[in-house]
Every structure is written in structure tokens, then in C-alpha cells.
Amino acid sequence: MTFSIKSRAEEIEKLKKRRLDLLIVGGGITGAGVALQASAAGMRTALIDMQDFGAGTSSRSTRLVHGGIRYLKNFDVEVVSETVQERAVIQHVAPHVTRPDPMLLPIYDEPDTTFSMFSVKVAMDLYDHLAGINKSEHLKKYANYTLDKEQVLKLEPQLNPENLAGGGIYLDYLNNDSRLVIENIKKAHDLGGLMVSRMKAVKVIHNQFGNACGMTVKDMVTGEEFDVKAKIVLNASGPWSDFVKDLDDKHDPKKTQMRPTKGVHLVVDQSRLNVPKPTYFGSGTNDGRMIFTIPRDGKTYFGTTDTDFKGDLTHPKVEQSDVDYLLRIINKKYPNAHITLDDVESSWAGVRPLVAEEPAPVDEKAEEEKPDVVSGASDSGSHKLTASQVSRGSSLKRADDGLITLAGGKLTDYRKMADGAMKMIIEIMNSQYARDYKPVDSANIKVSGGDFDSDHAEEELENYAKKAIAAGIDPVGAEKMANIFGSNMDEILASAKDVKPVQGLSLAETLSLHYSMENEMAMTPEDYLFRRTNNLLFNHDEIKNIEAGVISEMAKYYDWSDEEIKDYTEKTDALISEASLDYLKDAQAVKA
């Protein structure tokens, strides 16, 4: 079943004609997770997003499914237990997207350090116990261990040796956030869901009883507006949650829920910052932040910042203050690296959809929403919290007119958040519409591309890479494709012998682009270069050549006019320039 511009028109016609069981507004990881479960349960489900799938928060994370070991310092055992167990579930359902990769936690003998050498071993042992590592044959090799100072420096020679006491190695998981979104979306589509990007919610519509019964939407490609009818409407729009609620004329606009914060990551070549293993340490600035340095594809990226954000949610930008903050920390932790702005090859900024601890004052006479489920909330009292102190918990609420809002949470929680939402949705459908829907076992629904043995993921992906090499693909491209597409490699390779590389692109890149246009709704160069692949972020040396080849081939597929080709080229050039922070580098040159 194709998932492309060709099928989009058919799905829009179905949106116009069907009365859905569930309409989801928001195509990030939260909405994608609910769409998968609802489609698997047999519900008439549709999901819309005003941008590309995952174009907001869900393509701009630290790219980890993180276990949160630091919470053990405060004995938050239950939180860590849930997180590490859920982490393993995500790896099971998406084994090509989420991978085990041990992390180094260097321990410094200095004030306000998170762990000592004694406490880190206690924490890691408990962490392994909660994750069931010693009980799992395929995970035993990842059991934690400690290193002395000399061993840490042998592993990472660029680390600051001053006050370094040693370190711990423990299991964590790398992740490809935008791929996790699209693989959930594709699976929901395969199960019958209508998944439509570039479709903006305009207004909540109500029936004669005043209950929410759908949305007026606008096709951002054609400009057409029409109504989509649904028994239940779910707002899963992340940082835009308050904006979508304001599309409901029964909602009090003064009643805000979200407190978005911005996180920034910078990418340098690994020759400038050689980090052979993901590394995790405190910022050393008394702001409560932890910093990651992570190797990937010959590059090293590091972050993140955490500051309140009140700008354009669709276009968060890296500012000089963000760069200054991260470089100050990195150059203190790696004093011989001397990383400067000029070393930054790429970057990204994302907005976290945090649920506010202190909602804005509301009119006591206004209708109040009824909270049904709230998880992960913290008792903050009345004092103002810093951005880093705001709870990463999730909130599930149903308004008096029936509009459901699922907000907050972390990427690691997405499936459990969807579970909670589905319980509410199924109860409504069964009690109010006399249906007999039953919950699905979402822990065993493989996403698209994940149909292989997750306990032996490394071997399975190596086999897919070998098949690609046998089909004439270069070894580097074969490995990259296997890690991106997983079990969908069989479908891609079936046509490899009939495909000639596009000028400027390798055979691997050509096949990847064709598949993404035909089966992943990649409609623009940005969709492909940033979210379907991560070429924009981790392939700085080749990005201009790849850009030209991608635009040329997409122009043929989509029959773009010369004017459209020019427009997409200018937009993609601007995207690459912004990611490279040319605007900050130019400003710095002027000052010099």
C-alpha cells in the first residue's frame, strides 16, 4: 500500500465523506502513537498535521530513549523503573530505530556532583535490576561497570582530568526520533488509518447538543477548507495544545496549560571532538541541566539547553546565547578541544511541550475542564519554577464539550501516553456509541520496518546490509539504509536492479529517496533531508551535492515547474545555511 502524494488525494476524499470514530490533531510522536493503537483496534481513525509528520518537537530531541539514571539520586525508583522498562518495549517494537548503546558517566570529585564513585555503582546496580538486564540473555553483555580515572581518560582522552575520580558505564538507548514518528504513522496507515500531513485544524465544530464532533480543516497544499466529522476529537498537538484548544469557542482562552521550553543541540566533526561513546554529565552551572555528547556518523553532537520559549513554535532558532552556553560547558569538560562557533557544522532547536505547573488565572465563572488522568505531576508549591524544574509529566483531560487534550510527556512515554488516551477513548465509544472496542496490546505491535527479532537486532540489521551490498549498494550506504528502513529493506531492494543512481546521488540515496516519496509521504526536500534521513544534520560534507540530486529527482516525481524548483532550492539553501548557523557566523565576522 503506497503512502504518497498519489494516495493523499484519496485519503482527503475519505476525510470529507466518512464520519470517523477518532480524529487526531497533531502528527508528532504522541499523536502517531495514538493513531497506531486506534487503527489497530479497528477504529475509523484519521490524523492530521499542519506540517510534515514530526516536524515539530518530535524531530528535534536529543535522539535518545533515556533511562533517567540521575533520578535515582533522589530515590525516584518508581519513575526510573517505569522508564527503563518502557525503553525496552520501544526497542522491541522499533528495533531498527531504537538501539542499546552503553553510556559513560564520568564522576568528578567536586561540589554539587550528581554521584560519587560509591553512589554511582549503587545507582547503576539498581538501574540494571530495574531494567532486568541480568535476567535477559541478550542484555547481559550490557551490565554496568566502573572505570578508574586512567581508564576513563584512555577511553576519552579529551575529557578534563581535573578532579576526575573515575566513571561508570551503563546501558542507555540511542533513538532516531523522526524515524520513530514516521514508522508509527506508516503502520497506522497500513492498518487503515487516514494519515494526512499539511492539513491544518481551523475550528472545532459542534453538534446540536454542543458536543465537539469534528474539525474544520484547511489543506495547506491546495488552500481548500472542509469539515471532518468525528465522534471524538483528540488534541495531541504538543506545544500547540493551547492553540488548538482555542479553536474551540467553548474553551476559555485565558486557561493556558503549556509552558514550552527550547532545547538546542550543536554538531561538530568527530575530528574536533572525539567522543567514542555517548557521554553524560552535569552542566556544572548549578542550573540542574545534564549535558550529552553523542557520536554519530563521524560527527559528535552535544546539548541540550533548557530555556523558556515564547517565539514562533514552528520555527525555533538557535541564538548566540545558546551557543555560548553549550560551548562554555563543552570547552570546560573537554579543555583541549577549543570548540568555537566556526566548528559547528549543523544544529537544531526544538520546543518541549511541558505542562505548566502554574496555570494562568482563570475566570471562576468560566466552565472548567474536568481532569481525568494526570501522570508525572510534581507538587511545586506556589514558587516560580525554572524551565529545567518543570515536570516532564503528561496530562490527559476531557473538556465539557468532549474535546480531549493529551499533552506533555517525554518521547520515552509516548506509547504509555497513548495507552492512557485509548482507555478513555474506548470507554467513550463503548458507553456512548454502543460499540465493543477492546484495548490492543501495544507492547507487541511492531512499527513499520520493525518486523524482525529485536533480541538480535544487530545481527538482523547486518543481514539486511549484506543483502543491500549484494544488490550493488556500497557498504556505507547499505548500513545506513538498514538502520533507517529496517525490514522494509526487502521491499526497497526488490527494485534495486531496475534503478540507476540519480546524478549526484549514490544508489543507496536514490533508492532511499524513491522509497520515501512513494511510501513515506516525503513531499519536500526538507522532509527527506531532515526527517526521513538526517543528511542535513550529519552529512555536512556532502549535503550540497545531495541537495541538488534530491531536488532534481523530486522535481521529476512531483512535476515541479521551473518556478517551483527555484523556490524549493532557495528554501533548502536557507535551511542548510540556518542549520549551519551562518547567520551567527556572519554576525561574528562583522563584529571582528
Side-chain angles (χ1 to χ4, degrees), residues 31-41 184 187-188 191 414 440 445-447:
V34 177
L36 172 54
Q37 292 194 32
S39 299
N184 271 271
K187 185 68 170 187
L191 293 169
Y414 89 90
V440 297
I445 303 177
K446 295 274 193 169
V447 304

Side-chain angles (χ1 to χ4, degrees), residues 317 343 354 468 471:
K317 290 184 70 173
D343 292 311
L354 304 187

